Amino acid sequence: TQLLEQSPQFLSIQEGENLTVYCNSSSVFSSLQWYRQEPGEGPVLLVTVVTGGEVKKLKRLTFQFGDARKDSSLHITAAQPGDTGLYLCAGGFPGGSYIPTFGRGTSLIVHP
Amino acid sequence: KAGVTQTPRYLIKTRGQQVTLSCSPISGHRSVSWYQQTPGQGLQFLFEYFSETQRNKGNFPGRFSGRQFSNSRSEMNVSTLELGDSALYLCASSFTGGTGLSNTEAFFGQGTRLTVV
């Protein structure tokens, strides 16, 4: 079974701080997605990365895919209360099914 | 274009009853997956349907079943409900038209919050 480990599990910070969350696997991803989920809602796709070393930016969010395509990070600059939510990474693996494997998520709370 | 629609949003059932949840995928998407989400277990994969056929199945008991219609809409059924079935049930649609990054991009509905009492 291919597993995705996300860290930290919980994060509570003040508005304006920076933070980084991580997603790691012992296997190589064919592609990796990051989602954000707000309480009581479904996850919303933020970004997909496919190339080792790839960096994508979405306003204050920076996503990086590891060179070996086994890990990824999400960095948020100057966090805002609207960034509060559960951040999930999900990956596809070569030769696997079309079903993404999800990590357990990082629960982020940004206090005003 | 319209997103993934799940109905109903909220449901309260008693133990032993059965329930049917509905999911309408994004137009053009042929794959529909169902997930159960609980605080303790996170997102757990139930099953996936593609072109009216169950293509993948997670590790859930036979009380959980589903089907997909010719218009790609999908239903999920849970029989003989147990208290532990209380969860947010999420449906995700994907294109999965072949190789490439669209393989595993999933677009989720808002979910159905099921409470079993």
Side-chain angles (χ1 to χ4, degrees):
Chain A
T1 304
Q2 294 141 332
L3 297 174
L4 274 71
E5 299 288 338
Q6 287 192 247
S7 61
Q9 190 176 355
F10 300 101
L11 202 48
S12 178
I13 62 172
Q14 294 296 128
E15 182 175 3
E17 292 185 26
N18 301 332
L19 66 117
T20 301
V21 298
Y22 300 92
C23 176
N24 296 288
S25 174
S26 58
S27 300
V28 174
F29 295 110
S30 56
S31 67
L32 185 139
Q33 291 89 42
W34 283 95
Y35 294 83
R36 180 171 68 213
Q37 183 180 22
E38 297 184 15
E41 302 291 330
V44 175
L45 179 65
L46 296 173
V47 76
T48 296
V49 287
V50 291
T51 306
E54 183 176 3
V55 177
K56 283 192 174 180
K57 292 195 175 186
L58 188 67
K59 296 183 182 177
R60 294 176 294 99
L61 278 59
T62 301
F63 304 86
Q64 186 157 6
F65 204 14
D67 291 340
R69 289 162 48 213
K70 290 185 177 183
D71 56 87
S72 180
S73 64
L74 158 59
H75 182 80
I76 301 179
T77 303
Q80 299 177 1
D83 296 325
T84 293
L86 179 68
Y87 288 82
L88 294 158
C89 67
F93 295 93
S97 74
Y98 294 117
I99 306 304
T101 300
F102 280 84
R104 296 287 295 271
T106 292
S107 180
L108 170 67
I109 298 175
V110 182
H111 300 279
Chain B
K1 61 184 174 183
V4 179
T5 303
Q6 289 189 248
T7 56
R9 286 293 311 274
Y10 304 94
L11 210 46
I12 300 175
K13 291 284 188 178
T14 56
R15 278 181 299 175
Q17 286 187 311
Q18 73 163 13
V19 66
T20 299
L21 312 181
S22 179
C23 173
S24 293
I26 291 172
S27 178
H29 285 191
R30 294 163 63 190
S31 167
V32 174
S33 300
W34 289 90
Y35 294 82
Q36 181 194 67
Q37 188 177 34
T38 58
Q41 299 296 321
L43 264 171
Q44 293 189 285
F45 171 69
L46 282 154
F47 30 66
E48 183 232 1
Y49 286 86
F50 183 82
S51 293
E52 302 179 65
T53 301
Q54 188 180 86
R55 187 165 64 172
N56 291 281
K57 188 177 187 304
N59 190 26
F60 276 80
R63 299 185 298 106
F64 292 81
S65 63
R67 59 178 175 168
Q68 187 180 34
F69 303 95
S70 58
N71 61 358
S72 292
R73 189 178 71 86
S74 178
E75 288 181 347
M76 189 192 94
N77 185 274
V78 187
S79 62
T80 319
L81 284 164
E82 301 177 358
L83 295 179
D85 297 333
S86 295
L88 182 66
Y89 289 89
L90 292 162
C91 159
S93 82
S94 301
F95 178 61
T96 59
T99 57
L101 67 84
S102 63
N103 262 7
T104 53
E105 280 185 338
F107 297 87
F108 286 85
Q110 291 180 295
T112 294
R113 169 71 64 185
L114 172 65
T115 302
V116 182
V117 297

